[in-house]
Amino acid sequence: MKKLFTYAAIAAFLSLAACGPSQAELDAEKKRKDDSARAADSIKAAEEAAKQKAYEDSVAAAAREQAIKDSLYKDSVEKASKKPGTTKPPKKKEPEKSTEGDPKVGKKKPGAK
């Protein structure tokens, strides 16, 4: 009976040892984790590069837009300075002088038909 119990204990121990992952499985798992970490780093670097490129593109677009506005402003100033007589402000119309007997609104007196 002792031998049978000993053989059963050894068989149980060996079966438990056989259930764990083998060295090849452990190596494959480690390689998978390393590949995953490398891929994550690559994706992060690509996202950072995309953000940097987007920032540079927006700065360049703003600079182009500002250059266009400056050019249009410069052109309008040059055109205005080339036209003769445009430096004087336009004359304001003077209000018509009315006589004291005339009503201020319209020509008829209030209450007249």
Side-chain angles (χ1 to χ4, degrees):
M1 187 72 176
K2 278 188 174 183
K3 281 188 175 183
L4 183 63
F5 181 70
T6 306
Y7 289 136
I10 291 173
F13 177 73
L14 290 176
S15 66
L16 287 176
C19 289
S22 67
Q23 187 62 34
E25 291 173 341
L26 291 174
D27 291 343
E29 181 68 19
K30 183 177 180 187
K31 185 176 184 270
R32 185 189 63 80
K33 285 182 181 179
D34 291 343
D35 290 345
S36 175
R38 209 172 299 120
D41 290 342
S42 175
I43 290 171
K44 185 176 180 181
E47 287 175 349
E48 289 295 323
K51 283 182 185 178
Q52 183 66 25
K53 176 137 176 59
Y55 174 75
E56 291 171 359
D57 289 348
S58 67
V59 168
R64 279 192 305 267
E65 188 174 319
Q66 187 63 38
I68 290 170
K69 286 180 182 178
D70 291 344
S71 174
L72 292 174
Y73 176 75
K74 183 179 175 185
D75 289 345
S76 66
V77 168
E78 287 176 359
K79 285 181 183 178
S81 65
K82 288 181 182 179
K83 291 181 182 177
T86 56
T87 56
K88 295 179 183 178
K91 293 182 180 179
K92 295 182 180 178
K93 291 184 180 180
E94 294 181 17
E96 294 180 13
K97 294 181 181 178
S98 63
T99 60
E100 290 187 28
D102 292 337
K104 292 183 180 180
V105 182
K107 301 210 178 209
K108 294 184 178 180
K109 292 185 179 181
K113 289 188 176 184

XYZ file of all heavy atoms in Angstrom:
844
model
N 0.815 -1.177 0.000
C 0.000 0.000 0.000
C 0.870 1.256 0.000
O 0.496 2.231 -0.639
C -0.879 -0.085 1.245
C -1.908 0.945 1.340
S -3.146 0.573 0.147
C -4.259 1.793 0.490
N 1.990 1.188 0.715
C 2.899 2.326 0.724
C 3.473 2.563 -0.665
O 3.632 3.706 -1.076
C 4.043 2.075 1.708
C 3.677 2.380 3.126
C 4.916 2.293 3.967
C 4.640 2.737 5.366
N 5.798 2.734 6.192
N 3.791 1.491 -1.377
C 4.339 1.651 -2.715
C 3.305 2.295 -3.645
O 3.645 3.160 -4.447
C 4.765 0.299 -3.284
C 6.085 -0.186 -2.765
C 6.466 -1.421 -3.555
C 7.851 -1.856 -3.123
N 8.317 -2.994 -3.873
N 2.100 1.855 -3.507
C 1.039 2.402 -4.353
C 0.851 3.894 -4.058
O 0.705 4.712 -4.969
C -0.266 1.640 -4.110
C -1.449 2.072 -4.982
C -1.140 1.817 -6.449
C -2.688 1.370 -4.566
N 0.867 4.269 -2.830
C 0.736 5.671 -2.430
C 1.923 6.477 -2.943
O 1.761 7.605 -3.422
C 0.625 5.768 -0.901
C 0.473 7.187 -0.425
C -0.687 7.917 -0.656
C 1.522 7.831 0.238
C -0.821 9.204 -0.211
C 1.390 9.123 0.666
C 0.220 9.824 0.449
N 3.113 5.946 -2.876
C 4.325 6.617 -3.353
C 4.251 6.809 -4.865
O 4.561 7.893 -5.379
C 5.580 5.798 -2.996
O 5.582 5.535 -1.602
C 6.847 6.553 -3.347
N 3.847 5.743 -5.588
C 3.733 5.859 -7.042
C 2.660 6.877 -7.415
O 2.821 7.648 -8.382
C 3.416 4.506 -7.674
C 4.571 3.538 -7.640
C 4.362 2.212 -7.291
C 5.859 3.933 -7.968
C 5.411 1.314 -7.263
C 6.906 3.036 -7.933
C 6.692 1.730 -7.588
O 7.723 0.846 -7.557
N 1.578 6.942 -6.712
C 0.509 7.905 -6.986
C 1.007 9.324 -6.729
O 0.696 10.266 -7.502
C -0.713 7.593 -6.144
N 1.765 9.530 -5.676
C 2.307 10.852 -5.357
C 3.281 11.292 -6.439
O 3.274 12.464 -6.879
C 2.976 10.838 -3.991
N 4.137 10.388 -6.887
C 5.095 10.731 -7.942
C 4.358 11.041 -9.242
O 4.694 12.002 -9.950
C 6.113 9.572 -8.142
C 7.018 9.479 -6.910
C 6.943 9.786 -9.391
C 7.943 8.270 -6.918
N 3.345 10.273 -9.568
C 2.569 10.510 -10.785
C 1.856 11.854 -10.717
O 1.791 12.607 -11.710
C 1.580 9.385 -10.993
N 1.325 12.192 -9.552
C 0.648 13.482 -9.385
C 1.639 14.625 -9.541
O 1.357 15.643 -10.186
C -0.042 13.536 -8.037
N 2.820 14.460 -8.966
C 3.845 15.498 -9.069
C 4.270 15.696 -10.524
O 4.395 16.827 -10.992
C 5.049 15.131 -8.194
C 6.172 16.115 -8.303
C 6.078 17.372 -7.719
C 7.328 15.814 -9.023
C 7.103 18.281 -7.827
C 8.357 16.725 -9.140
C 8.250 17.969 -8.541
N 4.482 14.617 -11.241
C 4.892 14.708 -12.643
C 3.791 15.292 -13.522
O 4.056 16.045 -14.462
C 5.318 13.332 -13.160
C 6.636 12.786 -12.583
C 6.894 11.376 -13.099
C 7.795 13.700 -12.932
N 2.552 14.954 -13.194
C 1.457 15.494 -14.004
C 1.305 17.001 -13.764
O 0.982 17.750 -14.688
C 0.156 14.763 -13.717
O -0.263 15.011 -12.388
N 1.541 17.449 -12.532
C 1.483 18.884 -12.259
C 2.631 19.608 -12.953
O 2.463 20.725 -13.462
C 1.519 19.156 -10.758
C 0.250 18.823 -9.990
C 0.455 19.052 -8.496
C -0.901 19.670 -10.476
N 3.804 19.002 -12.949
C 4.954 19.622 -13.609
C 4.735 19.680 -15.121
O 5.169 20.628 -15.791
C 6.222 18.843 -13.283
N 4.050 18.715 -15.670
C 3.806 18.688 -17.111
C 2.730 19.693 -17.514
O 2.662 20.096 -18.679
C 3.393 17.283 -17.527
N 1.896 20.142 -16.594
C 0.819 21.080 -16.927
C 1.331 22.492 -17.165
O 0.677 23.276 -17.832
C -0.217 21.108 -15.802
S -1.204 19.604 -15.718
N 2.447 22.858 -16.608
C 2.973 24.216 -16.757
C 3.503 24.442 -18.162
O 3.679 23.518 -18.956
N 3.788 25.674 -18.501
C 4.286 25.977 -19.836
C 5.718 25.476 -20.011
O 6.519 25.506 -19.086
C 4.232 27.504 -19.911
C 4.247 27.959 -18.502
C 3.597 26.869 -17.699
N 6.010 25.075 -21.201
C 7.355 24.602 -21.497
C 8.269 25.801 -21.728
O 7.811 26.942 -21.827
C 7.341 23.696 -22.720
O 7.007 24.456 -23.859
N 9.546 25.555 -21.857
C 10.500 26.636 -22.088
C 10.231 27.308 -23.434
O 10.337 28.520 -23.549
C 11.938 26.091 -22.037
C 13.009 27.170 -22.094
C 12.931 28.127 -20.911
O 12.591 27.735 -19.803
N 13.240 29.386 -21.166
N 9.850 26.541 -24.416
C 9.534 27.107 -25.729
C 8.316 28.027 -25.648
O 8.286 29.101 -26.261
C 9.280 25.992 -26.733
N 7.324 27.627 -24.871
C 6.142 28.461 -24.691
C 6.497 29.746 -23.948
O 5.985 30.837 -24.262
C 5.049 27.692 -23.946
C 4.429 26.561 -24.761
C 3.476 25.712 -23.939
O 3.548 25.759 -22.687
O 2.672 25.006 -24.547
N 7.355 29.639 -22.927
C 7.785 30.830 -22.192
C 8.553 31.785 -23.106
O 8.350 33.008 -23.045
C 8.648 30.423 -20.994
C 7.925 29.691 -19.862
C 8.931 29.237 -18.816
C 6.878 30.577 -19.232
N 9.435 31.238 -23.944
C 10.191 32.072 -24.889
C 9.265 32.746 -25.897
O 9.438 33.929 -26.224
C 11.240 31.228 -25.616
C 12.366 30.768 -24.690
O 12.510 31.364 -23.594
O 13.079 29.806 -25.062
N 8.276 32.014 -26.386
C 7.322 32.577 -27.343
C 6.509 33.700 -26.704
O 6.250 34.735 -27.336
C 6.398 31.481 -27.869
N 6.106 33.533 -25.458
C 5.346 34.567 -24.745
C 6.199 35.825 -24.555
O 5.723 36.946 -24.732
C 4.874 34.015 -23.393
C 4.063 34.988 -22.569
C 2.706 35.299 -23.181
O 2.227 34.531 -24.037
O 2.134 36.338 -22.800
N 7.465 35.631 -24.193
C 8.359 36.769 -23.998
C 8.558 37.506 -25.317
O 8.540 38.744 -25.364
C 9.706 36.295 -23.458
C 10.648 37.424 -23.171
C 11.945 36.930 -22.575
C 12.846 38.132 -22.318
N 14.160 37.763 -21.891
N 8.733 36.754 -26.409
C 8.907 37.369 -27.719
C 7.654 38.139 -28.124
O 7.734 39.244 -28.673
C 9.211 36.298 -28.773
C 9.517 36.869 -30.135
C 9.898 35.772 -31.109
C 10.296 36.360 -32.425
N 9.265 36.527 -33.366
N 6.479 37.596 -27.843
C 5.223 38.278 -28.164
C 5.113 39.596 -27.405
O 4.719 40.622 -27.971
C 4.044 37.372 -27.818
C 2.685 37.946 -28.234
C 1.528 37.148 -27.687
N 1.461 37.133 -26.237
C 0.954 38.125 -25.480
N 0.490 39.207 -26.063
N 0.923 38.035 -24.172
N 5.474 39.589 -26.125
C 5.414 40.818 -25.327
C 6.400 41.866 -25.846
O 6.085 43.051 -25.915
C 5.698 40.508 -23.857
C 4.550 39.838 -23.151
C 4.868 39.598 -21.688
C 3.718 38.884 -20.978
N 4.044 38.631 -19.571
N 7.598 41.429 -26.202
C 8.593 42.359 -26.742
C 8.119 42.963 -28.065
O 8.272 44.168 -28.302
C 9.943 41.656 -26.934
C 10.606 41.293 -25.616
O 10.205 41.850 -24.570
O 11.531 40.447 -25.634
N 7.556 42.136 -28.924
C 7.037 42.624 -30.207
C 5.901 43.616 -29.994
O 5.803 44.631 -30.693
C 6.570 41.468 -31.087
C 7.721 40.625 -31.616
O 8.877 41.090 -31.547
O 7.455 39.496 -32.090
N 5.052 43.314 -29.032
C 3.924 44.194 -28.737
C 4.428 45.547 -28.227
O 3.924 46.602 -28.631
C 3.009 43.540 -27.700
O 1.993 44.416 -27.329
N 5.419 45.529 -27.347
C 5.977 46.776 -26.822
C 6.650 47.574 -27.938
O 6.514 48.800 -28.011
C 6.978 46.479 -25.713
N 7.369 46.887 -28.826
C 8.027 47.554 -29.941
C 6.983 48.179 -30.872
O 7.161 49.298 -31.357
C 8.890 46.544 -30.700
C 10.085 47.165 -31.366
C 11.050 46.147 -31.962
N 11.600 45.247 -30.968
C 11.454 43.918 -30.979
N 10.779 43.329 -31.940
N 12.003 43.165 -30.045
N 5.895 47.467 -31.123
C 4.835 47.998 -31.986
C 4.175 49.218 -31.354
O 3.871 50.206 -32.042
C 3.800 46.921 -32.268
N 3.955 49.162 -30.048
C 3.346 50.304 -29.354
C 4.258 51.523 -29.427
O 3.796 52.653 -29.639
C 3.049 49.935 -27.908
N 5.558 51.315 -29.256
C 6.503 52.419 -29.361
C 6.510 52.999 -30.769
O 6.578 54.218 -30.959
C 7.910 51.961 -28.981
C 8.052 51.656 -27.493
O 7.185 52.106 -26.705
O 9.022 50.957 -27.126
N 6.419 52.136 -31.761
C 6.401 52.580 -33.152
C 5.147 53.408 -33.440
O 5.215 54.448 -34.105
C 6.468 51.374 -34.074
O 6.333 51.761 -35.410
N 4.023 52.948 -32.942
C 2.762 53.681 -33.140
C 2.823 55.037 -32.451
O 2.411 56.056 -33.012
C 1.566 52.844 -32.629
C 1.347 51.641 -33.544
C 0.308 53.689 -32.532
C 0.340 50.647 -33.007
N 3.365 55.072 -31.249
C 3.470 56.331 -30.510
C 4.376 57.308 -31.252
O 4.064 58.496 -31.354
C 4.010 56.067 -29.108
C 4.043 57.286 -28.239
C 4.490 56.959 -26.825
C 4.505 58.205 -25.979
N 4.962 57.937 -24.624
N 5.491 56.810 -31.787
C 6.399 57.673 -32.537
C 5.722 58.208 -33.798
O 5.886 59.381 -34.159
C 7.665 56.910 -32.901
N 4.946 57.364 -34.472
C 4.237 57.801 -35.677
C 3.188 58.867 -35.335
O 3.015 59.841 -36.081
C 3.579 56.617 -36.358
N 2.495 58.707 -34.221
C 1.488 59.695 -33.812
C 2.154 61.024 -33.476
O 1.645 62.089 -33.829
C 0.697 59.172 -32.616
C -0.284 58.074 -32.954
C -0.973 57.491 -31.734
O -0.548 57.800 -30.593
O -1.926 56.729 -31.922
N 3.285 60.974 -32.792
C 4.006 62.204 -32.455
C 4.481 62.912 -33.727
O 4.409 64.132 -33.828
C 5.197 61.886 -31.541
C 4.812 61.489 -30.138
C 4.135 62.609 -29.382
O 4.527 63.785 -29.552
O 3.198 62.314 -28.612
N 4.961 62.132 -34.684
C 5.410 62.720 -35.950
C 4.233 63.360 -36.689
O 4.370 64.438 -37.272
C 6.070 61.653 -36.817
N 3.086 62.713 -36.654
C 1.894 63.257 -37.311
C 1.453 64.554 -36.634
O 1.066 65.525 -37.310
C 0.766 62.236 -37.300
N 1.503 64.593 -35.304
C 1.133 65.821 -34.584
C 2.090 66.953 -34.932
O 1.671 68.092 -35.147
C 1.169 65.578 -33.071
C -0.004 64.821 -32.530
C 0.109 64.671 -31.029
C -0.982 63.809 -30.453
N -0.828 63.634 -29.000
N 3.384 66.643 -34.982
C 4.381 67.659 -35.305
C 4.180 68.178 -36.723
O 4.244 69.377 -36.969
C 5.797 67.087 -35.142
C 6.898 68.085 -35.385
C 6.925 69.194 -34.362
O 6.470 69.037 -33.233
N 7.448 70.345 -34.747
N 3.890 67.281 -37.663
C 3.667 67.687 -39.052
C 2.412 68.549 -39.158
O 2.401 69.553 -39.871
C 3.531 66.462 -39.951
C 3.201 66.796 -41.384
C 3.990 65.980 -42.337
C 3.614 66.224 -43.784
N 3.773 67.580 -44.228
N 1.361 68.179 -38.433
C 0.129 68.972 -38.456
C 0.382 70.371 -37.903
O -0.127 71.369 -38.435
C -0.963 68.271 -37.658
N 1.167 70.461 -36.848
C 1.496 71.765 -36.259
C 2.279 72.607 -37.262
O 1.971 73.785 -37.472
C 2.307 71.570 -34.980
C 2.818 72.863 -34.394
C 1.968 73.724 -33.722
C 4.147 73.235 -34.536
C 2.428 74.918 -33.194
C 4.613 74.412 -34.015
C 3.764 75.258 -33.352
O 4.227 76.434 -32.840
N 3.294 72.001 -37.887
C 4.098 72.727 -38.861
C 3.254 73.166 -40.052
O 3.427 74.277 -40.561
C 5.273 71.868 -39.322
C 6.322 71.644 -38.243
C 7.363 70.622 -38.620
O 7.269 70.048 -39.728
O 8.279 70.397 -37.812
N 2.337 72.318 -40.501
C 1.459 72.671 -41.613
C 0.548 73.838 -41.249
O 0.311 74.736 -42.061
C 0.624 71.472 -42.049
C 1.441 70.407 -42.758
O 2.602 70.695 -43.124
O 0.924 69.280 -42.931
N 0.024 73.834 -40.020
C -0.870 74.924 -39.618
C -0.103 76.236 -39.484
O -0.624 77.295 -39.843
C -1.582 74.583 -38.307
O -0.658 74.545 -37.241
N 1.139 76.170 -39.015
C 1.953 77.383 -38.920
C 2.255 77.908 -40.321
O 2.173 79.116 -40.575
C 3.253 77.097 -38.135
C 4.237 78.240 -38.267
C 2.949 76.836 -36.676
N 2.588 77.002 -41.244
C 2.873 77.413 -42.615
C 1.625 78.011 -43.275
O 1.713 79.012 -43.992
C 3.393 76.231 -43.422
N 0.473 77.421 -43.036
C -0.769 77.936 -43.613
C -1.085 79.324 -43.060
O -1.513 80.217 -43.802
C -1.924 76.982 -43.339
N -0.878 79.514 -41.773
C -1.121 80.822 -41.169
C -0.154 81.860 -41.743
O -0.543 83.012 -41.990
C -0.981 80.737 -39.656
N 1.097 81.461 -41.959
C 2.073 82.383 -42.536
C 1.690 82.753 -43.967
O 1.805 83.925 -44.365
C 3.462 81.756 -42.500
N 1.218 81.768 -44.751
C 0.782 82.058 -46.117
C -0.413 83.014 -46.119
O -0.473 83.958 -46.899
C 0.403 80.766 -46.835
C 1.571 79.996 -47.381
C 1.111 78.887 -48.329
N 0.146 77.994 -47.723
C 0.441 76.867 -47.097
N 1.680 76.490 -46.966
N -0.519 76.118 -46.582
N -1.351 82.759 -45.229
C -2.545 83.608 -45.149
C -2.166 85.033 -44.752
O -2.677 85.996 -45.315
C -3.515 83.011 -44.129
C -4.860 83.687 -44.110
C -5.837 82.978 -43.202
O -5.862 81.737 -43.204
O -6.564 83.682 -42.491
N -1.239 85.161 -43.796
C -0.794 86.484 -43.378
C -0.057 87.183 -44.512
O -0.223 88.384 -44.710
C 0.099 86.380 -42.139
C 0.461 87.719 -41.539
C -0.758 88.474 -41.042
O -1.685 87.902 -40.505
N -0.765 89.774 -41.237
N 0.736 86.442 -45.279
C 1.454 87.028 -46.415
C 0.468 87.533 -47.461
O 0.669 88.603 -48.053
C 2.403 86.006 -47.021
N -0.597 86.787 -47.702
C -1.620 87.220 -48.661
C -2.299 88.495 -48.172
O -2.485 89.447 -48.934
C -2.647 86.090 -48.899
C -1.987 84.945 -49.674
C -3.866 86.608 -49.648
C -2.837 83.695 -49.752
N -2.651 88.523 -46.885
C -3.291 89.728 -46.335
C -2.356 90.929 -46.426
O -2.779 92.027 -46.779
C -3.686 89.485 -44.879
C -4.877 88.600 -44.705
C -5.205 88.419 -43.238
C -6.379 87.490 -43.034
N -6.662 87.290 -41.607
N -1.073 90.717 -46.099
C -0.114 91.816 -46.184
C 0.028 92.303 -47.617
O 0.106 93.508 -47.876
C 1.255 91.372 -45.647
C 1.237 91.136 -44.140
O 0.287 91.594 -43.477
O 2.185 90.483 -43.644
N 0.061 91.378 -48.558
C 0.190 91.735 -49.967
C -1.028 92.523 -50.444
O -0.891 93.536 -51.134
C 0.358 90.468 -50.803
O 0.357 90.783 -52.166
N -2.213 92.071 -50.066
C -3.437 92.786 -50.456
C -3.469 94.176 -49.841
O -3.854 95.154 -50.492
C -4.674 91.986 -50.045
C -4.904 90.682 -50.803
C -6.082 89.939 -50.194
C -5.153 90.960 -52.265
N -3.053 94.288 -48.597
C -3.033 95.590 -47.936
C -2.037 96.506 -48.636
O -2.335 97.669 -48.908
C -2.671 95.435 -46.463
C -2.541 96.751 -45.738
C -3.672 97.480 -45.388
C -1.291 97.285 -45.434
C -3.563 98.697 -44.746
C -1.171 98.488 -44.793
C -2.298 99.198 -44.450
O -2.181 100.397 -43.812
N -0.861 95.988 -48.952
C 0.167 96.779 -49.625
C -0.336 97.240 -50.989
O -0.147 98.395 -51.368
C 1.433 95.945 -49.777
C 2.584 96.686 -50.390
C 3.812 95.787 -50.488
C 4.941 96.489 -51.217
N 6.080 95.614 -51.421
N -0.986 96.345 -51.731
C -1.526 96.703 -53.048
C -2.588 97.790 -52.931
O -2.614 98.731 -53.724
C -2.122 95.480 -53.744
C -1.066 94.490 -54.198
O 0.128 94.866 -54.228
O -1.437 93.341 -54.510
N -3.469 97.679 -51.947
C -4.526 98.680 -51.800
C -3.946 100.030 -51.401
O -4.419 101.067 -51.859
C -5.568 98.217 -50.789
O -4.999 98.151 -49.504
N -2.908 100.030 -50.594
C -2.274 101.292 -50.207
C -1.589 101.921 -51.418
O -1.679 103.128 -51.632
C -1.269 101.055 -49.051
C -0.400 102.275 -48.822
C -2.010 100.696 -47.789
N -0.933 101.105 -52.218
C -0.271 101.632 -53.415
C -1.283 102.194 -54.410
O -1.068 103.247 -54.989
C 0.557 100.536 -54.082
C 1.822 100.184 -53.333
C 2.578 99.025 -53.964
O 2.101 98.473 -54.980
O 3.646 98.669 -53.437
N -2.392 101.494 -54.612
C -3.409 101.973 -55.542
C -4.023 103.279 -55.046
O -4.291 104.182 -55.820
C -4.500 100.920 -55.723
C -4.073 99.770 -56.586
C -5.198 98.770 -56.740
C -4.749 97.566 -57.552
N -5.819 96.570 -57.669
N -4.244 103.363 -53.743
C -4.841 104.576 -53.197
C -3.882 105.753 -53.317
O -4.308 106.882 -53.548
C -5.235 104.353 -51.735
N -2.613 105.517 -53.174
C -1.652 106.617 -53.252
C -1.411 107.052 -54.695
O -1.007 108.174 -54.938
C -0.331 106.212 -52.601
O 0.275 105.170 -53.326
N -1.665 106.219 -55.696
C -1.463 106.569 -57.100
C -2.604 107.398 -57.668
O -2.410 108.155 -58.588
C -1.295 105.293 -57.940
C 0.031 104.614 -57.716
C 0.171 103.387 -58.586
C 1.485 102.679 -58.327
N 1.621 101.467 -59.147
N -3.803 107.267 -57.120
C -4.956 108.005 -57.641
C -4.848 109.471 -57.196
O -4.663 109.748 -56.022
C -6.261 107.409 -57.126
C -6.554 106.041 -57.698
C -7.867 105.520 -57.163
C -8.141 104.132 -57.691
N -9.382 103.590 -57.128
N -4.980 110.404 -58.143
C -4.899 111.820 -57.754
C -6.165 112.258 -57.010
O -7.264 111.875 -57.356
C -4.768 112.561 -59.089
C -5.369 111.635 -60.087
C -5.136 110.238 -59.567
N -5.960 113.044 -55.999
C -7.081 113.613 -55.274
C -7.733 112.677 -54.274
O -8.742 113.025 -53.688
N -7.195 111.533 -54.045
C -7.826 110.616 -53.086
C -7.348 110.862 -51.669
O -7.867 110.289 -50.744
C -7.539 109.156 -53.458
O -6.124 108.961 -53.528
C -8.204 108.781 -54.759
N -6.362 111.759 -51.533
C -5.862 112.010 -50.185
C -6.778 112.972 -49.431
O -6.753 113.014 -48.217
C -4.433 112.580 -50.232
O -4.428 113.764 -51.031
C -3.474 111.558 -50.814
N -7.580 113.748 -50.162
C -8.495 114.681 -49.504
C -9.742 113.937 -49.052
O -10.265 113.095 -49.770
C -8.893 115.799 -50.463
C -7.737 116.671 -50.867
C -8.210 117.742 -51.830
C -7.048 118.574 -52.301
N -7.478 119.574 -53.274
N -10.248 114.249 -47.873
C -11.487 113.606 -47.441
C -12.666 114.137 -48.255
O -12.642 115.262 -48.732
C -11.609 114.002 -45.973
C -10.782 115.221 -45.825
C -9.698 115.134 -46.869
N -13.693 113.348 -48.445
C -14.853 113.804 -49.225
C -15.562 114.944 -48.503
O -15.577 115.020 -47.278
C -15.738 112.570 -49.318
C -15.302 111.700 -48.200
C -13.861 112.014 -47.954
N -16.147 115.844 -49.318
C -16.852 116.994 -48.742
C -18.183 116.551 -48.157
O -18.879 115.733 -48.733
C -17.097 118.050 -49.810
C -15.835 118.688 -50.315
C -16.155 119.751 -51.338
C -14.892 120.393 -51.860
N -15.186 121.409 -52.868
N -18.502 117.120 -47.018
C -19.776 116.811 -46.376
C -20.829 117.781 -46.911
O -20.561 118.953 -47.146
C -19.678 116.955 -44.866
C -18.746 115.956 -44.237
C -18.729 116.135 -42.737
C -17.796 115.138 -42.093
N -17.731 115.322 -40.642
N -22.015 117.264 -47.082
C -23.120 118.120 -47.534
C -23.591 118.956 -46.350
O -23.799 118.447 -45.254
C -24.275 117.273 -48.053
C -23.966 116.565 -49.330
C -25.193 115.830 -49.832
C -24.903 115.114 -51.121
N -26.089 114.399 -51.610
N -23.761 120.214 -46.622
C -24.249 121.100 -45.569
C -25.766 121.020 -45.541
O -26.404 120.952 -46.587
C -23.805 122.530 -45.848
C -22.304 122.703 -45.758
C -21.886 124.136 -46.003
O -22.743 125.049 -45.929
O -20.710 124.353 -46.282
N -26.358 121.001 -44.355
C -27.825 120.949 -44.296
C -28.419 122.245 -44.866
O -27.837 123.302 -44.769
C -28.117 120.807 -42.811
C -26.883 121.250 -42.111
C -25.741 121.031 -43.055
N -29.569 122.100 -45.478
C -30.230 123.270 -46.069
C -30.682 124.207 -44.962
O -31.221 123.780 -43.940
C -31.447 122.816 -46.888
C -31.071 121.993 -48.087
C -32.308 121.567 -48.852
O -33.402 122.105 -48.596
O -32.170 120.692 -49.705
N -30.442 125.472 -45.213
C -30.848 126.464 -44.218
C -32.324 126.784 -44.441
O -32.764 127.023 -45.553
C -30.008 127.715 -44.358
C -28.557 127.471 -44.016
C -27.755 128.735 -44.136
C -26.307 128.460 -43.817
N -25.470 129.638 -43.966
N -33.066 126.727 -43.387
C -34.497 127.009 -43.515
C -34.807 128.334 -42.851
O -34.144 128.776 -41.930
C -35.309 125.891 -42.872
O -35.018 125.842 -41.500
N -35.839 128.926 -43.349
C -36.275 130.178 -42.734
C -37.079 129.850 -41.502
O -37.573 128.741 -41.325
C -37.122 130.991 -43.732
O -38.251 130.206 -44.086
C -36.315 131.353 -44.971
N -37.246 130.814 -40.653
C -37.892 130.544 -39.377
C -39.373 130.252 -39.520
O -39.949 129.572 -38.707
C -37.674 131.734 -38.439
C -36.241 131.839 -38.010
C -36.055 132.894 -36.965
O -36.992 133.180 -36.202
O -34.962 133.436 -36.896
N -40.013 130.694 -40.525
C -41.433 130.478 -40.704
C -41.747 129.106 -41.280
O -42.862 128.602 -41.163
N -40.784 128.483 -41.894
C -41.013 127.177 -42.505
C -40.971 126.079 -41.436
O -40.167 126.129 -40.505
C -39.948 126.871 -43.559
C -40.059 127.771 -44.783
O -41.167 128.291 -45.013
O -39.042 127.929 -45.482
N -41.842 125.094 -41.588
C -41.764 123.980 -40.632
C -40.510 123.151 -40.916
O -39.998 123.129 -42.025
C -43.020 123.177 -40.909
C -43.411 123.541 -42.291
C -42.944 124.942 -42.507
N -40.023 122.459 -39.898
C -38.796 121.690 -40.045
C -39.033 120.392 -40.819
O -38.138 119.898 -41.471
C -38.215 121.364 -38.680
C -37.721 122.596 -37.972
C -37.092 122.232 -36.661
C -36.594 123.443 -35.941
N -35.984 123.137 -34.678
N -40.224 119.822 -40.738
C -40.504 118.577 -41.398
C -41.483 118.842 -42.521
O -42.640 119.143 -42.282
C -41.098 117.526 -40.419
C -41.328 116.211 -41.133
C -40.203 117.343 -39.225
N -41.053 118.741 -43.713
C -41.950 118.956 -44.841
C -42.208 120.414 -45.079
O -41.733 121.300 -44.378
N -43.015 120.746 -46.093
C -43.262 122.144 -46.456
C -44.575 122.654 -45.920
O -44.790 123.857 -45.835
C -43.250 122.265 -47.980
C -41.902 121.813 -48.548
C -41.582 122.532 -49.792
C -40.219 122.061 -50.240
N -39.490 122.997 -50.961
N -45.477 121.770 -45.560
C -46.784 122.209 -45.057
C -46.697 122.431 -43.557
O -45.966 121.773 -42.855
C -47.838 121.172 -45.356
C -48.126 120.987 -46.817
C -49.252 120.006 -47.001
C -49.587 119.850 -48.468
N -50.660 118.906 -48.677
N -47.508 123.388 -43.116
C -47.582 123.642 -41.692
C -48.464 122.642 -41.035
O -49.392 122.118 -41.663
C -48.091 125.077 -41.451
C -47.126 126.123 -41.883
C -47.611 127.498 -41.510
C -46.585 128.518 -41.956
N -46.991 129.854 -41.605
N -48.258 122.326 -39.779
C -49.097 121.332 -39.107
C -50.551 121.774 -39.088
O -50.863 122.929 -38.831
C -48.525 121.262 -37.701
C -47.197 121.899 -37.756
C -47.190 122.811 -38.935
N -51.419 120.830 -39.362
C -52.849 121.073 -39.340
C -53.380 121.577 -40.688
O -54.572 121.654 -40.875
N -52.530 121.916 -41.637
C -52.977 122.389 -42.942
C -53.264 121.209 -43.839
O -52.629 120.183 -43.727
C -51.919 123.283 -43.570
N -54.258 121.438 -44.741
C -54.590 120.341 -45.649
C -54.004 120.531 -46.986
O -53.763 121.477 -47.578
C -56.089 120.187 -45.760
C -56.667 119.640 -44.508
C -58.114 119.315 -44.737
C -58.690 118.668 -43.503
N -60.027 118.264 -43.678
